[in-house]
């Protein structure tokens, strides 16, 4: 090819994606996007048609969460663009790096009642990290590079490229040298920064003097790819590690120092927090669920907050020391300073104490973890998943019901992101598209996805996508014939029988799945769960849907008492 060539704006975008080495893209085309789609075909890029734009961005989000590389998706103007809003909010709140391309109307005819035209720029701007509208075709290479830079620097997030029809269809003579990418901006974090020296000294002093510190870890640990570093830090300093739903895997759940989930649903972590003399918050926003609606963290206890986004400091809880920096880059330096100090406090064997507490908790709920009751209990289902899923397996968790049970009871077996919930926005409907993105992100690894019947209903059309792509994941449909979280809250607040608009038809999702070309299995006896999982693993050319009939009793639907609806009492941990 010569040093100069005339191509469409759509092809210029595709060539910039190729320069950044993007993985699978997800989208649904329209007239505005046709030059881009044609270039994708000719350049041999990987792009998959999806059935709903919200599912496309969810798939891209899961891909980004697992690989650390920017997920890419697209949508046409109007309804295609507006269908992206929920997924953009998820990615913005969760820190997922995405580049999201949307078509827009021809500028010569904008605001003349163009088909599907709406004020989409104003609608999308609040739910993305940056919105870049491309007004000049010759600026496409520069502005696509800008999109990847913004998506991967600092706290990652979604960047929208709004491309008018005339920009995509027009041609321009580009220099071949313009189609380049900075390799650092093809995964997160693109840059690592460290806190200032004085703040590190203050934090080191507080941790060195503490006899009962605890680390409270959020999803920022995974954005920094810092789980192994954090586990080594905790081991060296003998500090228990508790985590949020997004922070699960900050340390292996099977590790002696793992204190499990903290906040609204807890095993032993809330008790350890109550007795702590120093709180070290790492990559965590300390939001409503993590802090039990802001009443969990004890006052008067020194709090150190390490985060890549300075705006999170003091948002919900004042910090005594603020460490503005990257987690992986900061922890080794902080560890060295602590170990160099002479005036360290005597600290008991926290690993032994944490392991003892966790073992006692497991013993206290053993009957539920191994229950043979029918319909199937959620605790038994998660126990079977823990026993069966290999160390490198992935569990995707849909919003609400599935995420809370998975967050409490699923045990990762190594540090790193093995549990992938959509906790940025906690939307239901993530389970199927999340499994699609995860399977493409981690070929060869077993992927389970936990969804409710309500969540499955919202995205069931994407089973066609998964069948078309021959993706061998297993979808576990927690079938309680209800919008379970809502029905459980109604039961808790208003009493037995006081349910409104929370019941669903008892659907056999195994039969539905078979009609769509999947393997379908219905499980009503907990003794059959293991065989169903094995059957799913053996099916390597299409998805398997396991329809699990779980409890219909709303008093047993939640993994504990929701503090928004009832006062927490000692022992309110697992239903």
């Amino acid at each position: 090819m010569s040093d100069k060539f005339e191509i469409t704006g759509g092809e210029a975008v595709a060539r910039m994606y190729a320069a950044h080495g993007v993985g699978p893209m997800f989208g649904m085309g329209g007239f505005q996007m046709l030059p881009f789609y044609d270039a994708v075909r000719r350049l041999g890029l990987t792009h998959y048609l999806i059935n709903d734009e919200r599912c496309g961005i969810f798939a891209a989000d899961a891909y980004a969460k697992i690989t650390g590389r920017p997920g890419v998706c697209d949508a046409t103007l109007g309804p295609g663009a507006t269908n992206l809003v929920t997924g953009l909010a998820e990615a913005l709140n969760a820190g997922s790096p995405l580049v999201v391309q949307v078509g827009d109307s021809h500028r010569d005819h904008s605001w003349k009642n163009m088909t599907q035209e709406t004020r989409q720029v104003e609608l999308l701007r609040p739910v993305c990290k940056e919105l870049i509208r491309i007004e000049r075709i010759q600026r496409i290479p520069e502005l696509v590079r800008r999109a990847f830079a913004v998506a991967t620097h600092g706290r990652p997030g979604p960047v929208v490229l709004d491309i008018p029809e005339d920009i995509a269809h027009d041609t321009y003579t580009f220099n071949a040298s313009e189609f380049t990418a900075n390799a650092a901006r093809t995964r997160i974090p693109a840059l690592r920064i460290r806190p200032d020296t004085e703040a590190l000294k203050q934090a080191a002093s507080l941790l060195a003097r503490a006899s009962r510190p605890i680390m409270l870890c959020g999803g920022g640990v995974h954005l920094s790819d810092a789980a192994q570093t954090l586990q080594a830090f905790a081991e060296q300093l003998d500090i228990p590690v508790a985590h949020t739903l997004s922070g699960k895997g900050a340390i292996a759940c099977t590790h002696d120092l793992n204190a499990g989930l903290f906040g609204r649903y807890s095993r032993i972590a809330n008790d350890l927090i109550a007795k702590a003399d120093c709180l070290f918050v790492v990559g965590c926003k300390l939001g409503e669920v993590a802090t039990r609606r802001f009443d969990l963290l004890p006052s008067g206890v020194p709090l150190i907050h390490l985060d890549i986004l300075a705006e999170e400091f003091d948002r919900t809880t004042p910090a005594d020391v603020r460490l503005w920096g990257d987690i992986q880059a900061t922890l080794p330096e902080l560890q060295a300073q602590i170990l160099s100090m002479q005036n360290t406090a005597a600290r008991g064997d926290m690993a032994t104490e944490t392991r003892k507490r966790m073992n006692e908790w497991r013993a206290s709920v053993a009957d539920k973890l191994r229950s043979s009751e029918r319909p199937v209990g959620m605790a038994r289902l998660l126990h079977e998943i823990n026993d069966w899923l290999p160390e490198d397996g992935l569990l995707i968790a849909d919003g609400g019901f599935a995420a809370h049970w998975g967050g409490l009871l699923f045990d990762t077996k190594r540090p790193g992101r093995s549990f992938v919930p959509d906790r940025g926005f906690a939307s239901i409907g993530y389970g199927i598209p999340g499994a699609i993105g995860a399977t493409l992100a981690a070929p060869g690894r077993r992927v389970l996805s936990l969804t409710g019947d309500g969540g499955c209903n919202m995205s069931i059309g994407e089973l066609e996508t998964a069948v078309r792509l021959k993706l061998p994941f297993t979808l576990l449909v927690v079938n309680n014939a209800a919008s379970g979280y809502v029905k459980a809250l109604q039961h808790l607040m208003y009493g037995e029988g006081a349910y409104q608009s929370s019941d669903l038809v008892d659907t056999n999702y195994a039969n539905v799945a078979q009609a769509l070309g999947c393997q379908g299995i219905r499980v009503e006896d907990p003794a059959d769960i293991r065989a169903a999982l094995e059957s799913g693993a053996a099916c390597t050319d299409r998805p398997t849907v396991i329809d699990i009939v779980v409890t219909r009793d709303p008093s047993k639907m939640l993994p504990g008492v929701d503090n928004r609806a009832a006062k927490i009492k000692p022992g309110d941990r697992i239903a």
Side-chain angles (χ1 to χ4, degrees):
M1 182 177 290
S2 65
D3 291 339
K4 292 179 180 289
F5 46 89
E6 184 177 353
I7 57 175
T8 65
E11 181 170 340
V13 173
R15 287 184 178 275
M16 285 304 299
Y17 286 173
H20 284 84
V22 301
M25 297 176 282
F26 309 91
M28 182 184 294
F31 178 75
Q32 292 75 20
M33 309 279 288
L34 288 182
F36 168 75
Y37 273 61
D38 186 60
V40 164
R41 174 186 61 82
R42 288 184 287 104
L43 295 171
L45 301 180
T46 302
H47 187 287
Y48 298 122
L49 170 67
I50 44 79
N51 291 295
D52 184 284
E53 293 87 353
R54 187 178 71 134
C55 292
I57 194 169
F58 279 163
D61 177 84
Y63 178 88
K65 281 181 167 75
I66 291 165
T67 64
R69 298 171 59 197
V72 179
C73 63
D74 60 74
T76 190
L77 85 167
T82 58
N83 280 346
L84 296 171
V85 169
T86 299
L88 285 170
E90 166 63 32
L92 181 64
N93 291 344
S96 300
L98 300 183
V99 174
V100 181
Q101 178 183 345
V102 294
D104 211 335
S105 60
H106 194 299
R107 290 175 300 166
D108 284 350
H109 305 294
S110 294
W111 315 125
K112 296 194 303 190
N113 296 324
M114 293 285 283
T115 301
Q116 297 186 316
E117 184 179 40
T118 188
R119 294 188 178 275
Q120 64 188 44
V121 167
E122 290 93 326
L123 286 166
L124 300 179
R125 195 182 302 278
V127 287
C128 62
K129 189 176 179 184
E130 187 166 311
L131 188 146
I132 300 172
R133 180 172 164 88
I134 299 181
E135 300 277 5
R136 303 281 288 179
I137 189 172
Q138 60 265 39
R139 295 191 66 191
I140 286 175
E142 167 205 348
L143 293 178
V144 174
R145 270 193 297 273
R146 168 72 182 172
F148 280 88
V150 173
T152 57
H153 280 79
R155 183 178 176 187
V159 177
V160 172
L161 287 169
D162 185 85
I163 305 177
E165 176 190 312
D166 50 303
I167 295 291
H169 284 254
D170 284 353
T171 61
Y172 181 78
T173 301
F174 290 93
N175 290 315
S177 60
E178 295 180 71
F179 295 93
T180 60
N182 184 330
R185 295 168 178 172
T186 60
R187 65 173 301 109
I188 59 171
L191 290 175
R192 297 187 187 274
I193 62 170
R194 292 175 175 81
D196 68 77
T197 303
E198 185 56 36
L200 277 171
K201 287 181 180 177
Q202 293 173 15
S205 178
L206 286 174
L207 286 168
R209 295 199 308 266
S211 59
R212 296 186 61 84
I214 187 169
M215 298 176 71
L216 308 179
C217 299
V221 174
H222 300 307
L223 300 182
S224 176
D225 193 20
Q228 291 186 350
T229 302
L230 189 143
Q231 181 164 304
F233 178 91
E235 289 171 345
Q236 183 66 49
L237 300 173
D238 195 34
I239 303 178
V241 177
H243 59 77
T244 63
L245 291 163
S246 297
K248 181 180 283 288
I251 187 173
C253 291
T254 52
H255 196 284
D256 285 350
L257 284 166
N258 172 58
L261 190 67
F262 71 96
R264 181 180 295 164
Y265 304 122
S266 163
R267 304 191 202 184
I268 64 171
N270 288 358
D271 293 338
L272 290 173
I273 290 169
K275 294 178 172 62
D277 60 358
C278 184
L279 305 174
F280 185 17
V281 179
V282 181
C284 176
K285 294 185 283 188
L286 294 177
E288 175 193 6
V289 175
T291 61
R292 210 172 55 194
R293 191 161 273 195
F294 317 111
D295 76 347
L296 175 64
L297 305 187
S299 60
V301 176
L303 189 147
I304 304 161
H305 195 166
L306 168 58
D307 206 283
I308 194 64
L309 188 66
E311 289 85 343
E312 291 300 338
F313 297 141
D314 306 323
R315 184 191 294 271
T316 72
T317 308
D320 295 274
V321 180
R322 301 160 194 84
L323 300 177
W324 182 23
D326 174 79
I327 296 167
Q328 189 187 109
T330 299
L331 289 181
E333 190 171 345
L334 180 59
Q335 176 180 315
Q337 290 207 26
I338 294 170
L339 294 177
S340 70
M341 292 183 170
Q342 302 299 317
N343 59 333
T344 57
R347 187 175 298 167
D349 187 346
M350 293 302 296
T352 298
E353 178 184 341
T354 306
R355 181 180 67 248
K356 179 175 181 293
R357 284 173 175 265
M358 188 63 79
N359 288 340
E360 290 172 349
W361 179 87
R362 291 183 193 281
S364 73
V365 299
D367 289 347
K368 290 167 183 172
L369 294 175
R370 297 176 174 83
S371 172
S372 58
E373 67 178 343
R374 299 176 61 175
V376 178
M378 285 297 297
R380 172 67 185 269
L381 172 59
L382 268 297
H383 178 69
E384 293 290 339
I385 291 173
N386 281 332
D387 276 355
W388 181 82
L389 194 65
E391 181 180 283
D392 68 344
L394 292 163
L395 179 64
I396 314 303
D398 212 327
F401 191 89
H404 288 293
W405 276 102
L408 181 67
L409 294 179
F410 176 62
D411 287 331
T412 62
K413 300 175 179 69
R414 66 182 186 184
R417 185 171 253 165
S418 301
F419 179 66
V420 187
D422 64 323
R423 294 308 301 174
F425 213 38
S427 167
I428 64 171
Y430 190 88
I432 297 173
I436 291 172
T439 305
L440 293 168
R445 295 170 67 180
R446 288 186 183 171
V447 175
L448 298 182
S449 184
L450 192 65
T451 186
D453 38 3
C456 182
N457 291 343
M458 293 185 75
S459 56
I460 198 165
E462 297 309 328
L463 286 177
E464 182 278 329
T465 305
V467 169
R468 177 169 20 100
L469 302 186
K470 297 180 170 58
L471 299 180
F473 62 80
T474 296
L475 180 73
L476 305 170
V477 181
V478 176
N479 187 341
N480 53 21
S483 178
Y485 207 104
V486 172
K487 188 170 185 178
L489 289 175
Q490 289 174 340
H491 181 88
L492 189 62
M493 293 185 69
Y494 305 116
E496 184 175 357
Y499 313 126
Q500 176 61 50
S501 304
S502 55
D503 287 313
L504 297 170
V505 170
D506 189 354
T507 301
N508 187 318
Y509 290 95
N511 289 344
V512 175
Q514 289 170 1
L516 285 167
C518 304
Q519 176 178 224
I521 303 169
R522 188 167 173 94
V523 171
E524 300 182 37
D525 189 323
D528 297 332
I529 295 173
R530 178 93 182 199
L533 291 171
E534 292 289 356
S535 181
C539 184
T540 58
D541 62 348
R542 55 187 169 140
T544 295
V545 175
I546 304 177
D547 180 29
I548 303 178
V549 180
V550 299
T551 181
R552 267 59 172 166
D553 183 350
S555 70
K556 296 181 179 180
M557 287 181 178
L558 295 182
V561 175
D562 189 317
N563 65 297
R564 297 172 299 175
K567 186 174 179 58
I568 299 292
K569 303 183 296 296
D572 283 338
R573 292 214 249 316
I574 181 168

